[in-house]
Amino acid sequence: GPPRRAAAQLGALARRAGVTDWRLHLFGRDSEAFLRAAEAGRWKLVTVLHLVLRDYLRFAGGRAALERTARLGPLAAVSRAQRREAAALAPSLAAHLRVVSAYGPTLPRPRPRRRAVASVLCTARLAPYKGVDLLLMAFARLRAPGSAVRLVLAGRDQTGGALRAFSRRLGLADCVDFIGEVKRAGLARRLADCSAFVLPSRRDNFPIALLEAMAAGKPVIATRVGGIPELVEHGRSGLLVPPGD
């Protein structure tokens, strides 16, 4: 089947390139082809977990895939919260899991432009676990009559337009911008120009979008879930709120 063919192709590529160590960034993707190729070629595989396990592990092969990766080499988690979740799911992995949180800004740093209108930015996939519906409700309460502040939502819509319709029902059609997926330069510009960044996740792990906003020097507001409290110190480097509030 496709995983077997893909594994053979990966193995051939590794041999031609002289690869001796592989790195698998496990984020909601089927890892079967990588596992088969590594097992067949006896290559060392370093696996980095970067996913909300309860939501995405089934797409990455489930608990069995985690246990296979641990037999092939080191298993790294990007946050302490990720390590706890993985160890609770598969206790046999506890001895193999290490926390490796390394990050450097990857976006260009444009100069902010003078804006007459303040804006709040959220960059996240529009999916229920990201809590964008909560942000819309909070924004509806925040926005005073006649206020010019805008809410900018950047990210792939996985709700089939439901959040856009919800925004209209809240009376926010004239002040919320759904801009979809944005290229790196455009995202950097949006970060440079916004007044604040908000990430209202119900569940999360090690959100790069939050780190990019902090690297851009923006005030951040986020929920106290997953690895976020490891990144944001409440009252010092941002504000943390309970999920669902």
Side-chain angles (χ1 to χ4, degrees):
R4 182 176 297 177
R5 288 197 298 271
Q9 293 168 350
L10 286 168
L13 176 63
R15 285 187 290 273
R16 287 198 303 270
V19 174
T20 58
D21 297 83
W22 290 24
R23 179 180 181 272
L24 173 62
H25 187 83
L26 198 60
F27 180 78
R29 297 180 177 87
D30 188 356
S31 58
E32 180 64 24
F34 283 92
L35 296 178
R36 287 190 182 198
E39 288 167 342
R42 297 183 180 179
W43 285 293
K44 182 178 179 180
L45 183 68
V46 178
T47 302
V48 179
L49 300 181
H50 188 176
L51 70 168
V52 179
L53 290 172
R54 61 188 287 187
D55 290 331
Y56 286 105
L57 185 58
R58 66 184 184 278
F59 300 114
R63 175 176 170 174
L66 282 184
E67 293 172 338
R68 285 173 72 189
T69 59
R71 290 194 293 270
L72 290 166
L75 193 60
V78 295
S79 68
R80 294 190 297 274
Q82 172 84 96
R83 185 189 185 282
R84 289 193 297 270
E85 186 183 19
L89 179 70
S92 62
L93 299 182
H96 302 275
L97 285 161
R98 297 291 182 271
V99 177
V100 180
S101 299
Y103 171 77
T106 60
L107 294 177
R109 294 293 298 272
R111 292 183 178 180
R113 296 172 290 192
R114 291 188 178 275
R115 291 284 187 180
V117 177
S119 66
V120 175
L121 176 66
C122 174
T123 61
R125 65 187 66 204
L126 303 187
Y129 80 97
K130 286 293 187 179
V132 178
D133 57 320
L134 300 168
L135 176 55
L136 287 169
M137 289 188 282
F139 192 71
R141 296 179 62 183
L142 165 74
R143 189 171 182 260
S147 170
V149 66
R150 302 194 67 80
L151 174 62
V152 180
L153 301 176
R156 184 193 315 166
D157 186 358
Q158 296 181 319
T159 71
L163 282 174
R164 191 183 293 267
F166 184 51
S167 175
R168 290 195 296 268
R169 291 200 300 273
L170 291 172
L172 300 175
D174 63 336
C175 60
V176 177
D177 300 321
F178 289 83
I179 63 174
E181 292 188 86
V182 181
K183 293 183 179 180
R184 294 166 57 79
L187 176 57
R189 172 54 60 196
R190 293 283 182 173
L191 277 171
D193 291 345
C194 75
S195 307
F197 182 89
V198 181
L199 189 66
S201 303
R202 290 181 169 90
R203 300 187 293 280
D204 223 314
N205 185 4
F206 192 78
I208 299 299
L210 181 61
L211 290 171
E212 293 286 11
M214 295 172 72
K218 295 298 170 176
V220 298
I221 303 169
T223 43
R224 197 185 298 273
V225 297
I228 291 177
E230 301 171 35
L231 310 176
V232 180
E233 183 181 354
H234 178 65
R236 185 175 178 88
S237 54
L239 297 178
L240 295 177
V241 299
D245 186 339

